[in-house]
Amino acid sequence: MVDKYASWVPSSGVFPKGFKVGSIATNVKKNGELDLGIIYNTHQHPPESSLTSTAAAVFTTNRFQAAPILISKHVLEATGGKGIDTIVINSGCANAVTGEAGNQDAKELVEHINRKTSKANSTLMMSTGVIGQRLSVDKISNGIDRLFEENNVSFGDAFESWLNLAKAITTTDTFPKLTSGEFTLSNGVSYRLVGVAKGAGMICPNMATMLGFIGCDLPIASSALQNIVRYAVDRSFNCISVDGDMSTNDTVYMVSNGAVETDVIEEGSTDFYKVRDQVVAFSQQLARLIVRDGEGATKFVSITVKDALTFEDAKIIARSISNSMLVKCALNGGDANWGRFLCAIGYAQLQNVQSLDLEKISVSLVGSEEEEPSKLDLVLNGVPELQLDEEKATELITRDDIKIMVSLGTGVEECTFWTCDLSHEYININADYRT
Amino acid sequence: MVDKYASWVPSSGVFPKGFKVGSIATNVKKNGELDLGIIYNTHQHPPESSLTSTAAAVFTTNRFQAAPILISKHVLEATGGKGIDTIVINSGCANAVTGEAGNQDAKELVEHINRKTSKANSTLMMSTGVIGQRLSVDKISNGIDRLFEENNVSFGDAFESWLNLAKAITTTDTFPKLTSGEFTLSNGVSYRLVGVAKGAGMICPNMATMLGFIGCDLPIASSALQNIVRYAVDRSFNCISVDGDMSTNDTVYMVSNGAVETDVIEEGSTDFYKVRDQVVAFSQQLARLIVRDGEGATKFVSITVKDALTFEDAKIIARSISNSMLVKCALNGGDANWGRFLCAIGYAQLQNVQSLDLEKISVSLVGSEEEEPSKLDLVLNGVPELQLDEEKATELITRDDIKIMVSLGTGVEECTFWTCDLSHEYININADYRT
């Protein structure tokens, strides 16, 4: 077994200016581990400036949305995403299916923080953990008090503080998910991004599949930021499949505080797309970490559908393959079972029937993401490779990292999904989790 | 473990008049078991009559449709379903993803039978088994010759012949699926129905999830029969979920030969609906047998979504719960995990947003299909049952047969799905099937 912690958790980082983070154990998690984290923007623009920190969000489309989502949506609507300075995240209790009482609990905590920071409508919340249980408002507000006491001494802006935050938001994760980096725009100035996430396949009642936060020190309008986050989520967190289930708490927030005081990035400019590419890459990195931490996963599998008529149909096909239990079993068993890939392609509910031409489709195996030259065709232009090199196929598909490439031959669009295999361990984890 | 064969295979039956069936081992299946079956209608109406046997069909919507489907569709189009007298079914080779050569193979066999019965355009075909392999036309046409030699002496119309046919069409099934019965219409005359099916979750390359045949001795027009079969399939074979995958070969045929020479059943008449109810019940019986034979299944689970705004949305929700890997794991582990049920309801892609009102939904457990009075509410009008009788919940959900009831409270429509749990054995069967 790979040591996932050693392989995937960084040991240093470079973080956006102006953000401070603090984490604490409130005893909501019964094992005494960190279970409350706060991300706090300390950079304030002068009162005469029209600039503020800006926030954007993408929430689960599950009809049962948890209380922290409902409350945070109100805050975003009231502010248009301007002036969001604090993100509070608790783990151990999802505050989901808790009705109006649960909404009041979330609201009380959010307003408690607003009082601490002396700024109304500046806090968003995320929760993850057991559903159907009320939040311990006392424990959490006590934790908030302790974090903010003595001039915020518990907050830090260095690697250790961010790593603790990443730990504080985990539930069944086997490792914290943290990434950070620097990029330069056309003005020659460098900016920094940080990303944290939690997720390891959905466990109900510890049901939140994933939470994510991305922070940046760029000045940018909320509407532009919202476009970037929506675009990035569609190509990252919405392109992973551990078990195909979707939770009540899934949330991704991005906050950009403009602590590097350059001109505001204009939507549609070259720099806007550069930033978008950075956020996509960051989101994909975090998304891949969630798949690597998939419950019971023994394989990390990239499924790229290319030469497609539309991005949407490329995604629908990639998702169909990624979610197929039979494909996941074949991957677990190291079986290059192209028939199952074709099946899943064939029953994908495409938006445009012309996206799929049975005589143009090719399916190949590639050793890993980096090794495209070593690809082995399983099906070429709709015809199965009868003289298949089974030995090579087995060698490729029994690796820890697998890449499956589907070429539709009907266009130029492309989408990559990341998935994992279905193992006995997944069933062990999920068969009697609650009891 | 339940002895599935003893529990679910009948030991006698009453079959529609005029049908004869024959089965034989052609050595396509390497273990020498029965692998070719023919259902043959011997009842011929007088030449001056406009009556003929009639056929209807429902095929997989997978874009990769196998050769027997393409060929049979041509026959149905050419004849309008009139005069179909023979169904030929082979197991061991699915004749799927075999291109134009595969189509020619299927066509050759169908025409070979038409010559034997001296009647053009009277044969439909179904195949199930390994994909990507050519059909052994020689072995199968030799088998056909042997069945039809010596005045069709190998054909029979009694229980043993039908049971052998049900065996001949199986692949990974652990028991043959056969059912038969009698019903009476308003004219006081009794008619007979027979149903056979194969299926046990989709195995690729033995990929045909299911094949089904229903025979009847009623006189009825093809168009009326097509409506009945479409309606019945929507409420039976399309309401089962073993693993959510769908194959290239899925086919259900119904043939009614009018051997009981009464008036033709008029579409829309009281008797038409009586017949439809019979066919629905038969199809559901066969569909449930396929779930009972689900790969690795240890539980048989009915999921009824009632009080729904539309049948379609009831079905979408029932399917969403049935296909959820997390629900299947909870069922396997005997965990009354209502949070997972709600999750799957919440992410169902409904056609009408008003079908789901979070404050009206109730979820209950019922001991078995017959035991509605013993139901235990898990969620009532959107509120989780906080004082849940966990002991009773565990007692109900650890039974072999489980019923989950969801009331949406938004209408009067209802749909039932049948599913099974996800077990270690499923992974064992599917992890290295091909190699």
Short mmCIF file of all heavy atoms in Angstrom, two decimals, chain A residues 62-63 202 204 207 245-246 324 326 329 333 335 337 340 343 346-347 353 356 358 390 422-424 426 428 430-431 434, chain B residues 62-63 202 204 207 245-246 324-326 329 333 335 337 340 342-343 346-347 353 356 358 390 424 426-428 430-431 434:
data_model
loop_
_atom_site.label_atom_id
_atom_site.label_comp_id
_atom_site.label_asym_id
_atom_site.label_seq_id
_atom_site.Cartn_x
_atom_site.Cartn_y
_atom_site.Cartn_z
N ASN A 62 -28.13 19.00 -4.72
CA ASN A 62 -29.04 18.12 -3.98
C ASN A 62 -30.18 18.96 -3.39
O ASN A 62 -29.95 20.06 -2.88
CB ASN A 62 -28.27 17.40 -2.85
CG ASN A 62 -29.04 16.21 -2.29
OD1 ASN A 62 -30.18 16.33 -1.85
ND2 ASN A 62 -28.42 15.04 -2.33
N ARG A 63 -31.41 18.42 -3.50
CA ARG A 63 -32.57 19.20 -3.03
C ARG A 63 -32.57 19.37 -1.52
O ARG A 63 -33.19 20.27 -0.97
CB ARG A 63 -33.87 18.54 -3.49
CG ARG A 63 -34.17 18.74 -4.97
CD ARG A 63 -34.66 20.15 -5.29
NE ARG A 63 -35.95 20.44 -4.71
CZ ARG A 63 -37.12 20.06 -5.21
NH1 ARG A 63 -37.16 19.38 -6.34
NH2 ARG A 63 -38.25 20.35 -4.61
N MET A 202 -18.68 9.79 -0.47
CA MET A 202 -19.68 10.23 0.46
C MET A 202 -20.00 9.17 1.49
O MET A 202 -20.29 8.05 1.17
CB MET A 202 -20.98 10.58 -0.24
CG MET A 202 -21.94 11.22 0.74
SD MET A 202 -23.47 11.72 -0.03
CE MET A 202 -24.25 10.14 -0.18
N CYS A 204 -22.73 8.81 4.36
CA CYS A 204 -23.85 9.29 5.15
C CYS A 204 -23.83 8.44 6.40
O CYS A 204 -23.63 7.25 6.29
CB CYS A 204 -25.18 9.08 4.47
SG CYS A 204 -25.39 9.95 2.93
N MET A 207 -21.98 12.89 5.71
CA MET A 207 -22.34 12.79 4.32
C MET A 207 -21.68 13.77 3.38
O MET A 207 -21.76 13.59 2.19
CB MET A 207 -23.83 12.91 4.18
CG MET A 207 -24.37 14.25 4.48
SD MET A 207 -26.15 14.13 4.70
CE MET A 207 -26.64 13.27 3.25
N ASP A 245 -22.58 9.21 -5.66
CA ASP A 245 -23.57 9.84 -4.79
C ASP A 245 -23.20 11.32 -4.59
O ASP A 245 -22.07 11.72 -4.77
CB ASP A 245 -23.65 9.09 -3.46
CG ASP A 245 -24.40 7.77 -3.61
OD1 ASP A 245 -23.79 6.77 -4.02
OD2 ASP A 245 -25.59 7.75 -3.36
N MET A 246 -24.16 12.12 -4.21
CA MET A 246 -23.95 13.56 -4.06
C MET A 246 -24.60 14.01 -2.76
O MET A 246 -25.72 13.63 -2.47
CB MET A 246 -24.57 14.31 -5.23
CG MET A 246 -24.28 15.79 -5.17
SD MET A 246 -25.18 16.84 -6.37
CE MET A 246 -26.26 15.78 -7.23
N SER A 324 -19.71 3.63 -13.70
CA SER A 324 -20.15 2.25 -13.92
C SER A 324 -19.54 1.30 -12.88
O SER A 324 -18.32 1.20 -12.74
CB SER A 324 -19.75 1.78 -15.32
OG SER A 324 -19.77 0.37 -15.37
N LEU A 326 -19.51 -1.84 -13.04
CA LEU A 326 -18.79 -2.91 -13.73
C LEU A 326 -17.41 -2.45 -14.18
O LEU A 326 -16.44 -3.21 -14.09
CB LEU A 326 -19.61 -3.40 -14.93
CG LEU A 326 -20.84 -4.22 -14.53
CD1 LEU A 326 -21.72 -4.49 -15.73
CD2 LEU A 326 -20.43 -5.53 -13.88
N CYS A 329 -15.30 -2.40 -11.04
CA CYS A 329 -14.88 -3.76 -10.64
C CYS A 329 -13.76 -4.27 -11.54
O CYS A 329 -12.80 -4.88 -11.06
CB CYS A 329 -16.06 -4.73 -10.73
SG CYS A 329 -17.19 -4.58 -9.34
N GLY A 333 -10.01 -5.42 -10.49
CA GLY A 333 -9.46 -6.74 -10.80
C GLY A 333 -8.34 -6.70 -11.83
O GLY A 333 -7.79 -7.74 -12.18
N ASP A 335 -8.53 -5.85 -15.11
CA ASP A 335 -9.04 -6.51 -16.31
C ASP A 335 -9.32 -5.44 -17.37
O ASP A 335 -10.15 -4.57 -17.17
CB ASP A 335 -10.34 -7.25 -15.93
CG ASP A 335 -10.95 -7.99 -17.11
OD1 ASP A 335 -10.31 -8.06 -18.17
OD2 ASP A 335 -12.07 -8.51 -16.94
N ASN A 337 -11.15 -4.68 -19.68
CA ASN A 337 -12.43 -5.13 -20.22
C ASN A 337 -13.09 -4.03 -21.06
O ASN A 337 -13.98 -3.32 -20.60
CB ASN A 337 -13.32 -5.51 -19.02
CG ASN A 337 -14.48 -6.37 -19.44
OD1 ASN A 337 -15.02 -6.19 -20.52
ND2 ASN A 337 -14.86 -7.28 -18.59
N ARG A 340 -16.95 -3.38 -21.29
CA ARG A 340 -17.62 -2.59 -20.27
C ARG A 340 -17.51 -1.10 -20.53
O ARG A 340 -18.42 -0.34 -20.24
CB ARG A 340 -17.05 -2.92 -18.88
CG ARG A 340 -17.40 -4.33 -18.46
CD ARG A 340 -16.99 -4.61 -17.02
NE ARG A 340 -17.24 -6.03 -16.74
CZ ARG A 340 -16.86 -6.65 -15.63
NH1 ARG A 340 -16.21 -5.98 -14.70
NH2 ARG A 340 -17.12 -7.91 -15.46
N CYS A 343 -20.02 -0.40 -23.28
CA CYS A 343 -21.36 -0.43 -22.70
C CYS A 343 -21.71 0.90 -22.05
O CYS A 343 -22.76 1.48 -22.31
CB CYS A 343 -21.44 -1.49 -21.59
SG CYS A 343 -21.89 -3.07 -22.19
N GLY A 346 -22.25 3.54 -24.45
CA GLY A 346 -23.48 3.33 -25.22
C GLY A 346 -24.73 3.74 -24.48
O GLY A 346 -25.72 4.11 -25.10
N TYR A 347 -24.72 3.65 -23.14
CA TYR A 347 -25.94 4.03 -22.43
C TYR A 347 -25.87 5.44 -21.83
O TYR A 347 -26.81 5.87 -21.16
CB TYR A 347 -26.37 2.98 -21.40
CG TYR A 347 -25.46 2.71 -20.23
CD1 TYR A 347 -25.27 3.65 -19.21
CD2 TYR A 347 -24.83 1.49 -20.09
CE1 TYR A 347 -24.46 3.38 -18.13
CE2 TYR A 347 -24.01 1.20 -19.01
CZ TYR A 347 -23.84 2.15 -18.04
OH TYR A 347 -23.03 1.89 -16.96
N VAL A 353 -27.28 13.57 -30.19
CA VAL A 353 -27.11 12.20 -30.68
C VAL A 353 -25.89 12.10 -31.60
O VAL A 353 -25.25 11.04 -31.70
CB VAL A 353 -28.41 11.71 -31.36
CG1 VAL A 353 -28.60 12.40 -32.70
CG2 VAL A 353 -28.44 10.21 -31.49
N LEU A 356 -21.92 10.89 -30.78
CA LEU A 356 -21.40 9.52 -30.78
C LEU A 356 -21.65 8.87 -32.14
O LEU A 356 -22.79 8.74 -32.58
CB LEU A 356 -22.10 8.71 -29.68
CG LEU A 356 -21.65 7.26 -29.47
CD1 LEU A 356 -20.18 7.19 -29.13
CD2 LEU A 356 -22.47 6.62 -28.35
N LEU A 358 -20.70 5.37 -33.90
CA LEU A 358 -20.14 4.07 -33.49
C LEU A 358 -18.95 3.65 -34.34
O LEU A 358 -18.13 2.84 -33.91
CB LEU A 358 -21.23 3.00 -33.54
CG LEU A 358 -22.51 3.32 -32.75
CD1 LEU A 358 -23.43 2.13 -32.70
CD2 LEU A 358 -22.19 3.78 -31.33
N GLU A 390 -2.50 -8.81 -24.93
CA GLU A 390 -3.11 -8.95 -23.61
C GLU A 390 -2.09 -8.72 -22.50
O GLU A 390 -2.41 -8.20 -21.44
CB GLU A 390 -3.74 -10.35 -23.45
CG GLU A 390 -4.99 -10.59 -24.27
CD GLU A 390 -6.28 -10.01 -23.64
OE1 GLU A 390 -6.20 -9.47 -22.51
OE2 GLU A 390 -7.34 -10.10 -24.28
N LEU A 422 -13.65 -0.02 -7.44
CA LEU A 422 -14.58 -0.45 -6.39
C LEU A 422 -13.97 -1.68 -5.71
O LEU A 422 -13.78 -2.71 -6.35
CB LEU A 422 -15.94 -0.81 -7.01
CG LEU A 422 -16.99 -1.39 -6.07
CD1 LEU A 422 -17.31 -0.43 -4.93
CD2 LEU A 422 -18.28 -1.70 -6.84
N SER A 423 -13.66 -1.52 -4.44
CA SER A 423 -12.93 -2.58 -3.75
C SER A 423 -13.74 -3.16 -2.61
O SER A 423 -14.74 -2.58 -2.19
CB SER A 423 -11.62 -2.02 -3.18
OG SER A 423 -11.93 -1.16 -2.09
N HIS A 424 -13.30 -4.29 -2.12
CA HIS A 424 -13.94 -4.89 -0.93
C HIS A 424 -13.93 -3.91 0.24
O HIS A 424 -14.87 -3.83 1.01
CB HIS A 424 -13.21 -6.17 -0.54
CG HIS A 424 -13.49 -7.29 -1.48
ND1 HIS A 424 -14.70 -7.92 -1.52
CD2 HIS A 424 -12.73 -7.89 -2.41
CE1 HIS A 424 -14.68 -8.87 -2.45
NE2 HIS A 424 -13.48 -8.87 -3.01
N TYR A 426 -14.23 -0.73 0.20
CA TYR A 426 -15.33 0.24 0.08
C TYR A 426 -16.59 -0.32 0.75
O TYR A 426 -17.28 0.39 1.49
CB TYR A 426 -15.63 0.56 -1.40
CG TYR A 426 -16.80 1.51 -1.57
CD1 TYR A 426 -16.60 2.88 -1.59
CD2 TYR A 426 -18.10 1.03 -1.69
CE1 TYR A 426 -17.66 3.76 -1.72
CE2 TYR A 426 -19.18 1.91 -1.82
CZ TYR A 426 -18.95 3.26 -1.83
OH TYR A 426 -20.01 4.11 -1.95
N ASN A 428 -16.69 -2.68 3.02
CA ASN A 428 -16.46 -2.75 4.47
C ASN A 428 -16.72 -1.41 5.14
O ASN A 428 -17.37 -1.34 6.17
CB ASN A 428 -15.00 -3.15 4.76
CG ASN A 428 -14.74 -4.61 4.44
OD1 ASN A 428 -15.69 -5.40 4.34
ND2 ASN A 428 -13.49 -4.96 4.26
N ASN A 430 -18.60 1.04 4.09
CA ASN A 430 -19.95 1.57 3.93
C ASN A 430 -21.08 0.64 4.35
O ASN A 430 -22.23 1.06 4.41
CB ASN A 430 -20.17 2.01 2.48
CG ASN A 430 -19.40 3.28 2.19
OD1 ASN A 430 -19.70 4.32 2.75
ND2 ASN A 430 -18.38 3.19 1.37
N ALA A 431 -20.76 -0.61 4.59
CA ALA A 431 -21.85 -1.56 4.87
C ALA A 431 -22.45 -1.33 6.25
O ALA A 431 -23.64 -1.49 6.45
CB ALA A 431 -21.36 -2.99 4.72
N ARG A 434 -23.13 3.33 10.00
CA ARG A 434 -23.97 4.09 10.94
C ARG A 434 -24.16 3.37 12.28
O ARG A 434 -24.23 3.99 13.32
CB ARG A 434 -25.34 4.34 10.29
CG ARG A 434 -26.12 5.52 10.87
CD ARG A 434 -27.49 5.55 10.24
NE ARG A 434 -28.20 4.34 10.55
CZ ARG A 434 -29.18 4.28 11.46
NH1 ARG A 434 -29.58 5.35 12.07
NH2 ARG A 434 -29.76 3.13 11.71
N ASN B 62 -29.26 1.19 -25.44
CA ASN B 62 -27.81 1.34 -25.58
C ASN B 62 -27.49 1.60 -27.06
O ASN B 62 -28.05 0.96 -27.93
CB ASN B 62 -27.10 0.08 -25.09
CG ASN B 62 -25.61 0.30 -24.86
OD1 ASN B 62 -24.88 0.71 -25.75
ND2 ASN B 62 -25.15 0.02 -23.65
N ARG B 63 -26.56 2.56 -27.30
CA ARG B 63 -26.26 2.90 -28.68
C ARG B 63 -25.54 1.77 -29.41
O ARG B 63 -25.55 1.69 -30.63
CB ARG B 63 -25.42 4.18 -28.74
CG ARG B 63 -26.21 5.45 -28.46
CD ARG B 63 -27.07 5.88 -29.65
NE ARG B 63 -26.29 6.26 -30.80
CZ ARG B 63 -25.72 7.45 -30.98
NH1 ARG B 63 -25.86 8.39 -30.09
NH2 ARG B 63 -25.01 7.72 -32.06
N MET B 202 -25.55 -7.31 -15.21
CA MET B 202 -24.82 -7.36 -16.46
C MET B 202 -23.39 -7.80 -16.25
O MET B 202 -22.67 -7.26 -15.44
CB MET B 202 -24.80 -6.01 -17.14
CG MET B 202 -24.20 -6.15 -18.52
SD MET B 202 -24.20 -4.61 -19.42
CE MET B 202 -22.80 -3.84 -18.66
N CYS B 204 -20.20 -8.04 -18.61
CA CYS B 204 -19.52 -7.94 -19.88
C CYS B 204 -18.27 -8.77 -19.72
O CYS B 204 -17.65 -8.70 -18.68
CB CYS B 204 -19.09 -6.53 -20.20
SG CYS B 204 -20.40 -5.35 -20.37
N MET B 207 -22.53 -9.97 -21.66
CA MET B 207 -23.05 -8.70 -21.24
C MET B 207 -24.55 -8.56 -21.24
O MET B 207 -25.07 -7.61 -20.67
CB MET B 207 -22.47 -7.61 -22.11
CG MET B 207 -22.95 -7.62 -23.51
SD MET B 207 -21.90 -6.55 -24.52
CE MET B 207 -21.83 -5.08 -23.59
N ASP B 245 -26.01 -0.85 -14.81
CA ASP B 245 -25.46 -0.89 -16.16
C ASP B 245 -26.52 -1.44 -17.13
O ASP B 245 -27.45 -2.10 -16.73
CB ASP B 245 -24.18 -1.73 -16.18
CG ASP B 245 -23.00 -0.98 -15.58
OD1 ASP B 245 -22.86 -0.97 -14.35
OD2 ASP B 245 -22.25 -0.38 -16.34
N MET B 246 -26.38 -1.13 -18.40
CA MET B 246 -27.36 -1.54 -19.40
C MET B 246 -26.63 -2.11 -20.61
O MET B 246 -25.64 -1.55 -21.02
CB MET B 246 -28.19 -0.33 -19.83
CG MET B 246 -29.29 -0.71 -20.78
SD MET B 246 -30.18 0.66 -21.59
CE MET B 246 -29.42 2.13 -21.04
N SER B 324 -28.14 3.70 -5.95
CA SER B 324 -27.12 4.29 -5.10
C SER B 324 -26.23 3.22 -4.47
O SER B 324 -26.68 2.32 -3.78
CB SER B 324 -27.77 5.11 -3.98
OG SER B 324 -26.85 5.30 -2.92
N MET B 325 -24.94 3.34 -4.72
CA MET B 325 -24.01 2.37 -4.14
C MET B 325 -24.03 2.44 -2.62
O MET B 325 -23.85 1.43 -1.95
CB MET B 325 -22.61 2.62 -4.66
CG MET B 325 -22.39 2.03 -6.03
SD MET B 325 -20.82 2.53 -6.77
CE MET B 325 -19.67 1.90 -5.55
N LEU B 326 -24.23 3.65 -2.09
CA LEU B 326 -24.24 3.78 -0.63
C LEU B 326 -25.49 3.13 -0.03
O LEU B 326 -25.42 2.50 1.02
CB LEU B 326 -24.16 5.25 -0.24
CG LEU B 326 -22.77 5.87 -0.47
CD1 LEU B 326 -22.82 7.37 -0.29
CD2 LEU B 326 -21.76 5.25 0.48
N CYS B 329 -24.86 -0.59 -0.15
CA CYS B 329 -23.94 -1.03 0.91
C CYS B 329 -24.66 -1.07 2.26
O CYS B 329 -24.47 -2.00 3.05
CB CYS B 329 -22.75 -0.09 1.00
SG CYS B 329 -21.52 -0.36 -0.27
N GLY B 333 -25.19 -4.22 4.75
CA GLY B 333 -24.76 -4.24 6.13
C GLY B 333 -25.92 -4.24 7.13
O GLY B 333 -25.69 -4.27 8.34
N ASP B 335 -28.18 -1.78 7.71
CA ASP B 335 -28.15 -0.49 8.39
C ASP B 335 -29.31 0.36 7.87
O ASP B 335 -29.36 0.69 6.69
CB ASP B 335 -26.80 0.17 8.07
CG ASP B 335 -26.62 1.53 8.75
OD1 ASP B 335 -27.48 1.89 9.58
OD2 ASP B 335 -25.64 2.21 8.43
N ASN B 337 -30.15 3.22 7.23
CA ASN B 337 -29.50 4.52 7.07
C ASN B 337 -30.37 5.46 6.23
O ASN B 337 -30.14 5.66 5.04
CB ASN B 337 -28.15 4.28 6.39
CG ASN B 337 -27.22 5.44 6.54
OD1 ASN B 337 -27.65 6.59 6.54
ND2 ASN B 337 -25.95 5.16 6.67
N ARG B 340 -29.00 8.16 3.73
CA ARG B 340 -28.62 7.77 2.37
C ARG B 340 -29.84 7.73 1.44
O ARG B 340 -29.73 8.06 0.26
CB ARG B 340 -27.93 6.41 2.37
CG ARG B 340 -26.58 6.47 3.04
CD ARG B 340 -25.81 5.16 2.90
NE ARG B 340 -24.59 5.24 3.70
CZ ARG B 340 -23.77 4.24 3.90
NH1 ARG B 340 -24.01 3.07 3.36
NH2 ARG B 340 -22.69 4.39 4.64
N LEU B 342 -32.48 9.66 1.74
CA LEU B 342 -32.80 11.07 1.46
C LEU B 342 -31.81 11.67 0.45
O LEU B 342 -32.20 12.38 -0.46
CB LEU B 342 -32.79 11.90 2.74
CG LEU B 342 -33.96 11.72 3.71
CD1 LEU B 342 -33.89 12.78 4.80
CD2 LEU B 342 -35.31 11.79 3.01
N CYS B 343 -30.54 11.37 0.64
CA CYS B 343 -29.51 11.85 -0.29
C CYS B 343 -29.88 11.48 -1.72
O CYS B 343 -29.87 12.31 -2.61
CB CYS B 343 -28.17 11.19 -0.01
SG CYS B 343 -27.18 12.09 1.12
N GLY B 346 -32.69 13.34 -2.99
CA GLY B 346 -32.33 14.75 -3.22
C GLY B 346 -31.58 14.99 -4.50
O GLY B 346 -31.66 16.07 -5.08
N TYR B 347 -30.79 14.01 -4.97
CA TYR B 347 -30.05 14.26 -6.21
C TYR B 347 -30.70 13.63 -7.43
O TYR B 347 -30.15 13.72 -8.54
CB TYR B 347 -28.56 13.89 -6.09
CG TYR B 347 -28.20 12.45 -5.86
CD1 TYR B 347 -28.37 11.49 -6.83
CD2 TYR B 347 -27.63 12.05 -4.65
CE1 TYR B 347 -28.00 10.17 -6.63
CE2 TYR B 347 -27.26 10.74 -4.42
CZ TYR B 347 -27.44 9.80 -5.42
OH TYR B 347 -27.07 8.50 -5.21
N VAL B 353 -40.01 19.91 -10.88
CA VAL B 353 -39.45 20.28 -9.58
C VAL B 353 -40.49 20.16 -8.47
O VAL B 353 -40.16 19.91 -7.30
CB VAL B 353 -38.84 21.70 -9.67
CG1 VAL B 353 -39.92 22.77 -9.74
CG2 VAL B 353 -37.89 21.97 -8.54
N LEU B 356 -41.24 17.03 -5.72
CA LEU B 356 -40.58 16.82 -4.43
C LEU B 356 -40.77 18.05 -3.55
O LEU B 356 -40.34 19.14 -3.90
CB LEU B 356 -39.09 16.55 -4.67
CG LEU B 356 -38.22 16.25 -3.45
CD1 LEU B 356 -38.71 15.01 -2.73
CD2 LEU B 356 -36.77 16.05 -3.87
N LEU B 358 -39.87 19.06 0.24
CA LEU B 358 -39.06 18.52 1.33
C LEU B 358 -39.84 18.40 2.63
O LEU B 358 -39.47 17.63 3.51
CB LEU B 358 -37.81 19.39 1.54
CG LEU B 358 -36.96 19.62 0.28
CD1 LEU B 358 -35.67 20.33 0.63
CD2 LEU B 358 -36.67 18.32 -0.44
N GLU B 390 -34.64 1.74 17.08
CA GLU B 390 -33.51 1.18 16.32
C GLU B 390 -33.57 -0.34 16.27
O GLU B 390 -33.18 -0.96 15.29
CB GLU B 390 -32.17 1.62 16.94
CG GLU B 390 -31.83 3.09 16.74
CD GLU B 390 -31.23 3.41 15.35
OE1 GLU B 390 -31.02 2.47 14.56
OE2 GLU B 390 -30.99 4.60 15.08
N HIS B 424 -19.72 -8.29 -1.21
CA HIS B 424 -18.35 -8.68 -1.59
C HIS B 424 -18.38 -9.64 -2.77
O HIS B 424 -17.54 -9.59 -3.65
CB HIS B 424 -17.65 -9.34 -0.41
CG HIS B 424 -17.26 -8.35 0.65
ND1 HIS B 424 -16.26 -7.44 0.46
CD2 HIS B 424 -17.75 -8.12 1.88
CE1 HIS B 424 -16.14 -6.68 1.55
NE2 HIS B 424 -17.05 -7.07 2.42
N TYR B 426 -20.36 -9.74 -5.24
CA TYR B 426 -20.52 -9.02 -6.52
C TYR B 426 -19.15 -8.62 -7.06
O TYR B 426 -18.87 -8.78 -8.26
CB TYR B 426 -21.39 -7.77 -6.34
CG TYR B 426 -21.54 -6.96 -7.61
CD1 TYR B 426 -22.56 -7.22 -8.52
CD2 TYR B 426 -20.62 -5.95 -7.92
CE1 TYR B 426 -22.68 -6.49 -9.70
CE2 TYR B 426 -20.73 -5.22 -9.10
CZ TYR B 426 -21.76 -5.49 -9.98
OH TYR B 426 -21.86 -4.78 -11.14
N ILE B 427 -18.32 -8.11 -6.18
CA ILE B 427 -16.97 -7.69 -6.62
C ILE B 427 -16.16 -8.91 -7.05
O ILE B 427 -15.49 -8.89 -8.08
CB ILE B 427 -16.26 -6.90 -5.51
CG1 ILE B 427 -17.02 -5.59 -5.27
CG2 ILE B 427 -14.81 -6.62 -5.89
CD1 ILE B 427 -16.39 -4.68 -4.25
N ASN B 428 -16.27 -9.98 -6.29
CA ASN B 428 -15.56 -11.20 -6.68
C ASN B 428 -15.95 -11.64 -8.09
O ASN B 428 -15.11 -11.99 -8.91
CB ASN B 428 -15.86 -12.35 -5.71
CG ASN B 428 -15.18 -12.13 -4.37
OD1 ASN B 428 -14.24 -11.35 -4.26
ND2 ASN B 428 -15.69 -12.80 -3.35
N ASN B 430 -17.22 -9.86 -10.49
CA ASN B 430 -16.98 -8.91 -11.56
C ASN B 430 -15.57 -8.36 -11.66
O ASN B 430 -15.23 -7.69 -12.62
CB ASN B 430 -17.96 -7.73 -11.44
CG ASN B 430 -19.35 -8.16 -11.85
OD1 ASN B 430 -19.59 -8.49 -13.00
ND2 ASN B 430 -20.26 -8.20 -10.89
N ALA B 431 -14.74 -8.63 -10.66
CA ALA B 431 -13.42 -8.01 -10.67
C ALA B 431 -12.51 -8.65 -11.71
O ALA B 431 -11.72 -7.97 -12.35
CB ALA B 431 -12.77 -8.07 -9.30
N ARG B 434 -13.20 -11.45 -17.03
CA ARG B 434 -12.80 -11.67 -18.42
C ARG B 434 -11.49 -12.42 -18.52
O ARG B 434 -11.28 -13.23 -19.42
CB ARG B 434 -12.64 -10.30 -19.11
CG ARG B 434 -12.73 -10.32 -20.62
CD ARG B 434 -12.40 -8.94 -21.15
NE ARG B 434 -11.03 -8.60 -20.79
CZ ARG B 434 -10.02 -8.61 -21.63
NH1 ARG B 434 -10.20 -8.90 -22.89
NH2 ARG B 434 -8.80 -8.31 -21.23
#
